[in-house]
Amino acid sequence: MKLLVTGAAGFIGANFVHYWHSANPGDTLVALDCLTYAGNKHNLAAALGEPWFTFVEGSINDQALVEKLLKEHAIDTLVHFAAESHVDRSITGPDAFIDTNINGTHTLLKAAKACWLNDDATRNNLFHHVSTDEVYGTLGADDPAFSETTPYAPNSPYAASKASSDHLVRAYHHTYGLRVTTS
């Protein structure tokens, strides 16, 4: 497999890169990260310079860059971790959350559609979107756990932006036939 991992220099993204390579040493990984407050290239230090790994500093909002990476590296799976996070940050500055979590996800979906559906009739590609439990609202101490059937009830700009991105991913599957999964 050839994976493009967005947000790969963040804590969870970097740990995914290391886990994936350990479990699938024959796979190639391309990391895309704009190295904001949450991304640290040092998290990927063990992978840098390895033949199976390529790091690209860039934005998920750059559709031309994303399409170039999908084509040049023959990416078959996109794992989308990149996101603005933290509820408190979204309350004081929601614009960045709209830009990255909604517009950025939409840009990735448009690039995947252009490269995988418009140009590639095989349609064996997969877009995996990483969400958050925040889309389901607030869970009280005595409330039952959320599940996939819990209704969406986002209560912050962060949660609303992630819920929006979840819905865009679902819409690209139902409208265009893009193969997607969400966790």
Side-chain angles (χ1 to χ4, degrees):
M1 290 177 70
K2 295 180 180 182
L3 289 79
L4 173 62
V5 182
T6 69
F11 176 76
I12 299 171
N15 278 287
F16 173 81
V17 166
H18 298 303
Y19 163 79
W20 191 269
H21 176 66
S22 175
N24 304 281
D27 289 358
T28 300
L29 284 90
V30 177
L32 176 62
D33 201 297
C34 63
L35 299 177
T36 62
Y37 73 96
N40 185 338
K41 200 171 173 181
H42 179 72
N43 291 337
L44 298 166
L48 296 172
E50 293 293 332
W52 56 268
F53 184 77
T54 302
F55 179 81
V56 177
E57 184 174 348
S59 173
I60 62 171
N61 281 308
D62 184 344
Q63 186 172 343
L65 172 61
V66 174
E67 288 186 23
K68 177 183 171 194
L69 295 174
L70 292 174
K71 290 176 184 177
E72 282 185 2
H73 295 276
I75 300 295
D76 53 45
T77 303
L78 191 156
V79 183
H80 178 35
F81 287 100
E84 293 292 333
S85 60
H86 305 301
V87 170
D88 291 348
R89 288 186 65 251
S90 78
I91 293 168
T92 59
D95 290 356
F97 289 75
I98 303 304
D99 188 44
T100 300
N101 299 353
I102 299 174
N103 296 333
T105 299
H106 189 227
T107 298
L108 292 172
L109 289 163
K110 291 187 297 183
K113 179 181 177 287
C115 293
W116 293 345
L117 300 183
N118 297 354
D119 295 345
D120 182 0
T122 62
R123 296 186 183 204
N124 280 339
N125 310 96
L126 177 66
F127 187 108
H128 180 75
H129 175 64
V130 179
S131 186
T132 177
D133 65 334
E134 295 280 342
V135 301
Y136 298 118
T138 305
L139 189 63
D142 296 325
D143 292 339
F146 295 135
S147 74
E148 290 83 1
T149 60
T150 301
Y152 275 59
N155 291 323
S156 68
Y158 165 62
S161 69
K162 289 298 286 183
S164 296
S165 64
D166 291 359
H167 291 306
L168 282 170
V169 170
R170 184 178 187 278
Y172 266 70
H173 169 69
H174 286 282
T175 302
Y176 303 111
L178 185 66
R179 285 188 56 227
V180 303
T181 52
T182 299
S183 62

